[in-house]
Amino acid sequence: MDLSLPAADLAWKERAKVFAETVLFPHELDLEMNGSLPRATKDALRAAVVAHGFNGVNHAREAGGQGCTQLQQTLINEELGKATGALWAVVWHPAVPLKHGTPEQIRDYLTPSCLGRRRACVAVTEPDAGSDTGLIRTSATRRGERYVIDGEKWFVTSGDEADYVIVHALVDGDRALPTLFLVDRDAPGLTVKREPKFTHTYVFGHRELLFQGVEVTADRVLGGVGQGLELTKDWFVEARLQIAANCLGAAIRAFELANDWASERVAFGVPIRRHQAIEFMLADMAVEIMAAKSMIYRVAWEVDQNIDRKVAHARASVIKLHASEMAGRVLDKAVQIFGGRGYMRENPVERLNRDVRVDRIWEGTSEIQRVIIGGQLGKRGPDLFTGWYRAPGT
Ligand SMILES: Cc1cc2nc3c(=O)[nH]c(=O)nc-3n(C[C@H](O)[C@H](O)[C@H](O)COP(=O)(O)OP(=O)(O)OC[C@H]3O[C@@H](n4cnc5c(N)ncnc54)[C@H](O)[C@@H]3O)c2cc1C
């Protein structure tokens, strides 16, 4: 059993580390202290993503992306996840369902998105529909060759940066026809209702959008009428792996900083790491990180081996749940080891502690991940989680 990372994968990880440390970290304090970055800085960051070759890592080269494997993406996201203020989000990942676009949609939306000329945001959640997507009410009413979209979407991440929205709506209000639509930001009838503030400082906004009689032509249906939930489910595997990798990176950065501080800070005549209470916290953090990393790399690798879609879905839930909760525990200890300094916003540990909280909420809450895992356990049995990868034919 060879667990070593191939040279090409290590090279992606190293490049991402350099990118995070030299391009993203320098903007952390400006973002935290001012709540946002100037437009010129955001534009420069977008250009830097392209210059460093991190644009469209999750899409095929033919579509304008970098064609990275899932494991390579995980290694990249781990390094980017070390940046505070969700600066990792400046490295956009064009939405996975765009792969299922028509040739024209790939030309007009996916490829320009991979190249950094366009950017999407995704609008699924509504005031009355979060975990329970069955409660979605946004409708797309057929009018001849057109659809008219009406509804309200919440928490639309990067809505301020995107020039088009991937909207989840019910065709003719029919729950059996959940469908994704591509809507350009300047479409008449699409307005911003609010841009609330959140616990974390985030490089972009999370907008509330109103769709009032927004007309789109039939060629803006993405992936077929009625395919909305299926396309979103496929995407969850990648999105949950990305969150898990970001959480791992955040935990590693906080652990390294706390470990250094524990050697430097003296209390009662010794470096605080010589107090067993602190040493044991560091030990627990090391164990948590090692376990999470083993799981995340394994599942990313398995996805690259094309394991069964439902197995991938269940295991992506396992690592999203574990990594996000692990990051919460590790960050909490890191803050404690820093004492009062762990509560200062100028300390990356303080910022990461706020940043990782949302990872237990978005892309399926921890409770929803447990619902998925428990459901698959009932259907497929424990081997799904206790077993190990088997090569085809063995
Ligand atoms: C910062 C941020 C950014 C976001 N970005 C986006 C975005 O870009 N696009 C988008 O569409 N959405 C986005 N979301 C929305 C996010 O996906 C939802 O917040 C999430 O799915 C939870 O939905 P909810 O907030 O409505 O909570 P609810 O679904 O109302 O859940 C409330 C509580 O009930 C629990 N619960 C619900 N059902 C069950 C159950 N069956 N069993 C046990 N417990 C249950 C939940 O776990 C939670 O604890 C974002 C959210 C945040 C906070």
Side-chain angles (χ1 to χ4, degrees):
M1 183 163 153
D2 181 3
L3 291 177
S4 60
L5 288 170
D9 296 3
L10 283 171
W12 273 109
K13 191 170 193 295
E14 185 53 33
R15 278 174 52 203
K17 180 175 160 62
V18 170
F19 183 81
E21 290 176 359
T22 62
V23 180
L24 301 183
F25 287 11
H27 296 290
E28 288 182 324
L29 275 181
D30 184 15
L31 174 59
E32 179 60 31
M33 296 309 161
N34 297 308
S36 64
L37 291 176
R39 181 71 259 161
T41 306
K42 289 191 221 173
D43 290 344
L45 284 170
R46 187 190 275 230
V49 171
V50 177
H52 284 77
F54 288 113
N55 49 307
V57 290
N58 61 332
H59 285 277
R61 287 189 166 276
E62 310 82 71
Q66 306 296 333
C68 288
T69 64
Q70 198 59 61
L71 181 57
Q72 288 168 346
Q73 291 176 55
T74 297
L75 299 170
I76 293 167
N77 290 328
E78 175 186 333
E79 292 304 328
L80 301 182
K82 294 177 181 175
T84 67
L87 273 160
W88 44 261
V90 305
V91 181
W92 63 93
H93 292 73
V96 171
L98 290 167
K99 286 180 188 166
H100 303 281
T102 61
E104 292 74 26
Q105 289 172 342
I106 288 177
R107 181 195 66 205
D108 296 341
Y109 289 91
L110 176 55
T111 299
S113 300
C114 286
L115 297 176
R117 295 178 193 143
R118 302 201 72 175
R119 183 165 179 147
C121 57
V122 178
V124 180
T125 306
E126 300 183 359
D128 297 324
S131 306
D132 187 354
T133 50
L135 296 173
I136 282 175
R137 285 209 295 246
T138 297
S139 61
T141 310
R142 275 185 267 226
R143 294 260 168 79
E145 291 301 298
R146 293 176 168 266
Y147 290 86
V148 181
I149 302 178
D150 289 285
E152 180 172 339
K153 294 293 185 181
W154 273 30
F155 305 116
V156 182
T157 297
S158 307
D160 50 335
E161 191 68 3
D163 72 326
Y164 66 101
V165 190
I166 300 179
V167 191
H168 184 117
L170 305 176
V171 166
D172 294 331
D174 186 343
R175 300 218 171 281
L177 297 177
T179 303
L180 299 181
F181 290 87
L182 298 162
V183 180
D184 291 335
R185 189 173 60 184
D186 55 7
L190 171 53
T191 53
V192 179
K193 186 182 173 198
R194 253 179 7 126
E195 190 157 320
K197 297 276 178 215
F198 290 82
T199 303
H200 59 197
T201 302
Y202 194 97
V203 62
F204 304 125
H206 308 292
R207 288 187 162 173
E208 293 173 11
L209 299 179
L210 279 180
F211 294 77
Q212 293 168 305
V214 177
E215 284 197 22
V216 290
T217 44
D219 60 2
R220 298 298 168 88
V221 169
L222 178 61
V225 170
Q227 293 305 305
L229 278 181
E230 281 308 300
L231 292 173
T232 310
K233 263 191 212 161
D234 252 0
W235 189 1
F236 277 153
V237 171
E238 186 178 295
R240 288 173 182 166
L241 272 162
Q242 181 191 338
I243 289 173
N246 284 163
C247 286
L248 176 63
I252 290 173
R253 185 175 180 196
F255 172 56
E256 290 175 353
L257 289 168
N259 186 53
D260 289 348
W261 181 247
S263 299
E264 208 178 298
R265 180 69 168 172
V266 174
F268 300 98
V270 289
I272 56 171
R273 68 177 320 117
R274 301 259 300 273
H275 299 297
Q276 204 173 51
I278 301 291
E279 187 184 39
F280 277 19
M281 276 197 258
L282 289 167
D284 285 344
M285 291 157 89
V287 172
E288 293 258 37
I289 288 169
M290 193 173 155
K293 180 175 268 211
S294 308
M295 291 168 77
I296 296 168
Y297 286 15
R298 168 198 166 178
V299 174
W301 178 85
E302 285 179 344
V303 171
D304 286 332
Q305 310 312 307
N306 288 320
I307 54 164
D308 175 81
R309 182 171 169 259
K310 290 210 163 126
V311 174
H313 196 242
R315 289 189 181 158
S317 284
V318 170
I319 62 161
K320 198 272 187 183
L321 172 64
H322 183 265
S324 60
E325 301 209 335
M326 174 282 298
R329 292 189 295 268
V330 168
L331 259 304
D332 189 68
K333 289 188 173 74
V335 168
Q336 199 66 18
I337 290 170
F338 270 100
R341 286 172 176 79
Y343 208 61
M344 295 169 81
R345 287 186 174 211
E346 62 203 48
N347 187 336
V349 159
E350 188 280 339
R351 302 194 297 274
L352 288 170
N353 188 42
R354 274 180 292 127
D355 289 352
V356 299
R357 185 61 183 87
V358 74
D359 293 311
R360 286 150 62 188
I361 297 173
W362 59 13
E363 296 295 345
T365 63
S366 284
E367 292 72 35
I368 293 301
Q369 306 307 332
R370 288 187 171 90
V371 168
I372 294 169
I373 295 161
Q376 288 296 318
L377 181 62
K379 274 189 206 145
R380 291 162 179 258
D383 188 58
L384 180 60
F385 305 107
T386 59
W388 198 254
Y389 177 78
R390 285 176 174 224
T394 60

mmCIF file of all heavy atoms in Angstrom, residues 122-125 130-131 155-157 200 206 358 361-363 365 367-368 371, ligand 1:
data_model
loop_
_atom_site.group_PDB
_atom_site.id
_atom_site.type_symbol
_atom_site.label_atom_id
_atom_site.label_comp_id
_atom_site.label_asym_id
_atom_site.label_seq_id
_atom_site.Cartn_x
_atom_site.Cartn_y
_atom_site.Cartn_z
ATOM 1 N N VAL A 122 -24.526 31.112 -6.696
ATOM 2 C CA VAL A 122 -25.530 30.053 -6.728
ATOM 3 C C VAL A 122 -26.653 30.383 -5.755
ATOM 4 O O VAL A 122 -26.404 30.668 -4.583
ATOM 5 C CB VAL A 122 -24.881 28.703 -6.366
ATOM 6 C CG1 VAL A 122 -25.926 27.602 -6.336
ATOM 7 C CG2 VAL A 122 -23.794 28.378 -7.371
ATOM 8 N N ALA A 123 -27.892 30.366 -6.240
ATOM 9 C CA ALA A 123 -29.032 30.779 -5.424
ATOM 10 C C ALA A 123 -30.015 29.621 -5.287
ATOM 11 O O ALA A 123 -30.835 29.382 -6.187
ATOM 12 C CB ALA A 123 -29.696 31.992 -6.072
ATOM 13 N N VAL A 124 -29.894 28.908 -4.172
ATOM 14 C CA VAL A 124 -30.821 27.811 -3.881
ATOM 15 C C VAL A 124 -31.691 28.178 -2.677
ATOM 16 O O VAL A 124 -32.920 28.124 -2.728
ATOM 17 C CB VAL A 124 -30.048 26.490 -3.591
ATOM 18 C CG1 VAL A 124 -31.036 25.358 -3.278
ATOM 19 C CG2 VAL A 124 -29.146 26.113 -4.760
ATOM 20 N N THR A 125 -31.039 28.602 -1.571
ATOM 21 C CA THR A 125 -31.731 28.818 -0.294
ATOM 22 C C THR A 125 -32.729 29.975 -0.374
ATOM 23 O O THR A 125 -32.498 30.967 -1.065
ATOM 24 C CB THR A 125 -30.684 29.116 0.793
ATOM 25 O OG1 THR A 125 -29.726 28.059 0.786
ATOM 26 C CG2 THR A 125 -31.307 29.221 2.165
ATOM 27 N N GLY A 130 -34.270 25.996 3.554
ATOM 28 C CA GLY A 130 -32.820 25.854 3.685
ATOM 29 C C GLY A 130 -32.472 24.388 3.536
ATOM 30 O O GLY A 130 -32.387 23.860 2.416
ATOM 31 N N SER A 131 -32.340 23.683 4.665
ATOM 32 C CA SER A 131 -32.048 22.241 4.610
ATOM 33 C C SER A 131 -33.115 21.508 3.805
ATOM 34 O O SER A 131 -32.813 20.566 3.063
ATOM 35 C CB SER A 131 -32.030 21.657 6.027
ATOM 36 O OG SER A 131 -31.159 22.370 6.854
ATOM 37 N N PHE A 155 -28.706 34.363 1.240
ATOM 38 C CA PHE A 155 -27.329 33.889 1.470
ATOM 39 C C PHE A 155 -26.583 33.630 0.160
ATOM 40 O O PHE A 155 -25.858 32.639 0.049
ATOM 41 C CB PHE A 155 -27.295 32.583 2.273
ATOM 42 C CG PHE A 155 -28.006 32.592 3.598
ATOM 43 C CD1 PHE A 155 -29.114 31.778 3.817
ATOM 44 C CD2 PHE A 155 -27.537 33.364 4.636
ATOM 45 C CE1 PHE A 155 -29.744 31.753 5.047
ATOM 46 C CE2 PHE A 155 -28.168 33.347 5.880
ATOM 47 C CZ PHE A 155 -29.269 32.546 6.088
ATOM 48 N N VAL A 156 -26.794 34.456 -0.849
ATOM 49 C CA VAL A 156 -26.175 34.162 -2.151
ATOM 50 C C VAL A 156 -24.709 34.630 -2.110
ATOM 51 O O VAL A 156 -24.414 35.816 -2.292
ATOM 52 C CB VAL A 156 -26.966 34.824 -3.303
ATOM 53 C CG1 VAL A 156 -26.325 34.458 -4.631
ATOM 54 C CG2 VAL A 156 -28.425 34.370 -3.262
ATOM 55 N N THR A 157 -23.832 33.677 -1.850
ATOM 56 C CA THR A 157 -22.413 33.983 -1.653
ATOM 57 C C THR A 157 -21.778 34.468 -2.952
ATOM 58 O O THR A 157 -21.991 33.873 -4.009
ATOM 59 C CB THR A 157 -21.692 32.732 -1.121
ATOM 60 O OG1 THR A 157 -22.260 32.416 0.146
ATOM 61 C CG2 THR A 157 -20.201 32.957 -0.962
ATOM 62 N N HIS A 200 -18.496 35.907 10.336
ATOM 63 C CA HIS A 200 -17.159 35.987 9.751
ATOM 64 C C HIS A 200 -17.000 37.254 8.901
ATOM 65 O O HIS A 200 -17.968 37.854 8.468
ATOM 66 C CB HIS A 200 -16.846 34.750 8.900
ATOM 67 C CG HIS A 200 -17.797 34.519 7.754
ATOM 68 N ND1 HIS A 200 -17.878 33.313 7.105
ATOM 69 C CD2 HIS A 200 -18.696 35.314 7.123
ATOM 70 C CE1 HIS A 200 -18.767 33.400 6.143
ATOM 71 N NE2 HIS A 200 -19.279 34.588 6.133
ATOM 72 N N HIS A 206 -22.838 38.074 1.005
ATOM 73 C CA HIS A 206 -23.860 37.010 0.929
ATOM 74 C C HIS A 206 -25.197 37.736 0.771
ATOM 75 O O HIS A 206 -25.797 38.165 1.752
ATOM 76 C CB HIS A 206 -23.881 36.171 2.198
ATOM 77 C CG HIS A 206 -22.549 35.621 2.611
ATOM 78 N ND1 HIS A 206 -21.879 34.649 1.896
ATOM 79 C CD2 HIS A 206 -21.756 35.909 3.668
ATOM 80 C CE1 HIS A 206 -20.746 34.354 2.511
ATOM 81 N NE2 HIS A 206 -20.639 35.105 3.585
ATOM 82 N N VAL A 358 -19.049 28.574 10.173
ATOM 83 C CA VAL A 358 -20.066 28.386 9.132
ATOM 84 C C VAL A 358 -19.919 27.038 8.418
ATOM 85 O O VAL A 358 -20.858 26.551 7.779
ATOM 86 C CB VAL A 358 -20.029 29.550 8.102
ATOM 87 C CG1 VAL A 358 -18.823 29.444 7.166
ATOM 88 C CG2 VAL A 358 -21.313 29.630 7.303
ATOM 89 N N ILE A 361 -22.532 24.693 8.933
ATOM 90 C CA ILE A 361 -23.883 25.130 8.533
ATOM 91 C C ILE A 361 -24.097 25.020 7.016
ATOM 92 O O ILE A 361 -25.063 24.429 6.556
ATOM 93 C CB ILE A 361 -24.133 26.586 8.997
ATOM 94 C CG1 ILE A 361 -24.089 26.660 10.532
ATOM 95 C CG2 ILE A 361 -25.469 27.109 8.458
ATOM 96 C CD1 ILE A 361 -24.161 28.075 11.099
ATOM 97 N N TRP A 362 -23.157 25.591 6.229
ATOM 98 C CA TRP A 362 -23.460 25.630 4.788
ATOM 99 C C TRP A 362 -23.116 24.308 4.097
ATOM 100 O O TRP A 362 -22.443 23.472 4.667
ATOM 101 C CB TRP A 362 -22.801 26.824 4.108
ATOM 102 C CG TRP A 362 -21.296 26.952 4.181
ATOM 103 C CD1 TRP A 362 -20.397 25.993 4.573
ATOM 104 C CD2 TRP A 362 -20.533 28.115 3.861
ATOM 105 N NE1 TRP A 362 -19.122 26.488 4.507
ATOM 106 C CE2 TRP A 362 -19.179 27.797 4.072
ATOM 107 C CE3 TRP A 362 -20.852 29.384 3.396
ATOM 108 C CZ2 TRP A 362 -18.145 28.711 3.838
ATOM 109 C CZ3 TRP A 362 -19.818 30.278 3.171
ATOM 110 C CH2 TRP A 362 -18.489 29.935 3.392
ATOM 111 N N GLU A 363 -23.591 24.174 2.886
ATOM 112 C CA GLU A 363 -23.460 22.918 2.105
ATOM 113 C C GLU A 363 -23.972 21.718 2.905
ATOM 114 O O GLU A 363 -23.419 20.624 2.838
ATOM 115 C CB GLU A 363 -22.004 22.662 1.684
ATOM 116 C CG GLU A 363 -21.441 23.696 0.733
ATOM 117 C CD GLU A 363 -22.115 23.728 -0.616
ATOM 118 O OE1 GLU A 363 -22.845 22.768 -0.947
ATOM 119 O OE2 GLU A 363 -21.943 24.723 -1.337
ATOM 120 N N THR A 365 -25.992 21.229 6.848
ATOM 121 C CA THR A 365 -25.573 21.372 8.249
ATOM 122 C C THR A 365 -25.019 20.039 8.770
ATOM 123 O O THR A 365 -25.206 18.987 8.148
ATOM 124 C CB THR A 365 -26.772 21.773 9.129
ATOM 125 O OG1 THR A 365 -27.738 20.707 9.071
ATOM 126 C CG2 THR A 365 -27.421 23.070 8.654
ATOM 127 N N GLU A 367 -26.209 18.397 11.105
ATOM 128 C CA GLU A 367 -27.348 17.487 11.340
ATOM 129 C C GLU A 367 -27.755 16.808 10.032
ATOM 130 O O GLU A 367 -28.039 15.602 10.013
ATOM 131 C CB GLU A 367 -28.543 18.276 11.919
ATOM 132 C CG GLU A 367 -28.323 18.798 13.330
ATOM 133 C CD GLU A 367 -27.325 19.958 13.394
ATOM 134 O OE1 GLU A 367 -27.284 20.775 12.456
ATOM 135 O OE2 GLU A 367 -26.560 20.025 14.379
ATOM 136 N N ILE A 368 -27.751 17.568 8.945
ATOM 137 C CA ILE A 368 -28.139 16.974 7.655
ATOM 138 C C ILE A 368 -27.090 15.936 7.214
ATOM 139 O O ILE A 368 -27.430 14.887 6.655
ATOM 140 C CB ILE A 368 -28.343 18.081 6.584
ATOM 141 C CG1 ILE A 368 -29.556 18.935 6.949
ATOM 142 C CG2 ILE A 368 -28.466 17.504 5.181
ATOM 143 C CD1 ILE A 368 -30.893 18.191 7.066
ATOM 144 N N VAL A 371 -27.964 12.899 8.962
ATOM 145 C CA VAL A 371 -29.151 12.279 8.355
ATOM 146 C C VAL A 371 -28.715 11.447 7.136
ATOM 147 O O VAL A 371 -29.154 10.306 6.939
ATOM 148 C CB VAL A 371 -30.181 13.369 7.938
ATOM 149 C CG1 VAL A 371 -31.265 12.782 7.044
ATOM 150 C CG2 VAL A 371 -30.794 14.035 9.173
HETATM 151 C C1 LIG B 1 -22.515 32.469 5.180
HETATM 152 C C2 LIG B 1 -23.478 31.602 4.413
HETATM 153 C C3 LIG B 1 -23.324 31.468 3.046
HETATM 154 C C4 LIG B 1 -24.235 30.702 2.313
HETATM 155 N N1 LIG B 1 -24.114 30.640 0.937
HETATM 156 C C5 LIG B 1 -25.125 30.086 0.217
HETATM 157 C C6 LIG B 1 -25.140 30.181 -1.209
HETATM 158 O O1 LIG B 1 -24.207 30.722 -1.841
HETATM 159 N N2 LIG B 1 -26.204 29.697 -1.878
HETATM 160 C C7 LIG B 1 -27.257 29.095 -1.243
HETATM 161 O O2 LIG B 1 -28.190 28.671 -1.914
HETATM 162 N N3 LIG B 1 -27.264 28.953 0.105
HETATM 163 C C8 LIG B 1 -26.233 29.453 0.856
HETATM 164 N N4 LIG B 1 -26.247 29.359 2.225
HETATM 165 C C9 LIG B 1 -27.381 28.729 2.882
HETATM 166 C C10 LIG B 1 -27.034 27.438 3.616
HETATM 167 O O3 LIG B 1 -26.823 26.403 2.701
HETATM 168 C C11 LIG B 1 -28.180 27.169 4.614
HETATM 169 O O4 LIG B 1 -28.064 28.142 5.642
HETATM 170 C C12 LIG B 1 -28.132 25.776 5.180
HETATM 171 O O5 LIG B 1 -28.441 24.816 4.213
HETATM 172 C C13 LIG B 1 -29.108 25.615 6.346
HETATM 173 O O6 LIG B 1 -30.386 26.083 6.021
HETATM 174 P P1 LIG B 1 -31.128 27.123 6.983
HETATM 175 O O7 LIG B 1 -30.182 28.203 7.321
HETATM 176 O O8 LIG B 1 -32.414 27.489 6.367
HETATM 177 O O9 LIG B 1 -31.388 26.324 8.315
HETATM 178 P P2 LIG B 1 -32.639 25.284 8.579
HETATM 179 O O10 LIG B 1 -32.753 24.367 7.444
HETATM 180 O O11 LIG B 1 -33.821 26.084 8.957
HETATM 181 O O12 LIG B 1 -32.098 24.539 9.846
HETATM 182 C C14 LIG B 1 -32.202 25.058 11.165
HETATM 183 C C15 LIG B 1 -31.695 23.979 12.120
HETATM 184 O O13 LIG B 1 -32.525 22.811 12.010
HETATM 185 C C16 LIG B 1 -31.712 21.684 11.726
HETATM 186 N N5 LIG B 1 -32.427 20.719 10.896
HETATM 187 C C17 LIG B 1 -33.104 20.953 9.745
HETATM 188 N N6 LIG B 1 -33.585 19.800 9.258
HETATM 189 C C18 LIG B 1 -33.192 18.817 10.104
HETATM 190 C C19 LIG B 1 -33.346 17.400 10.140
HETATM 191 N N7 LIG B 1 -34.000 16.740 9.168
HETATM 192 N N8 LIG B 1 -32.809 16.733 11.168
HETATM 193 C C20 LIG B 1 -32.126 17.369 12.134
HETATM 194 N N9 LIG B 1 -31.942 18.706 12.169
HETATM 195 C C21 LIG B 1 -32.451 19.414 11.152
HETATM 196 C C22 LIG B 1 -30.489 22.254 11.025
HETATM 197 O O14 LIG B 1 -29.381 21.370 11.065
HETATM 198 C C23 LIG B 1 -30.268 23.531 11.808
HETATM 199 O O15 LIG B 1 -29.582 23.219 12.982
HETATM 200 C C24 LIG B 1 -25.296 30.054 2.980
HETATM 201 C C25 LIG B 1 -25.425 30.177 4.371
HETATM 202 C C26 LIG B 1 -24.526 30.935 5.085
HETATM 203 C C27 LIG B 1 -24.711 31.074 6.580
#
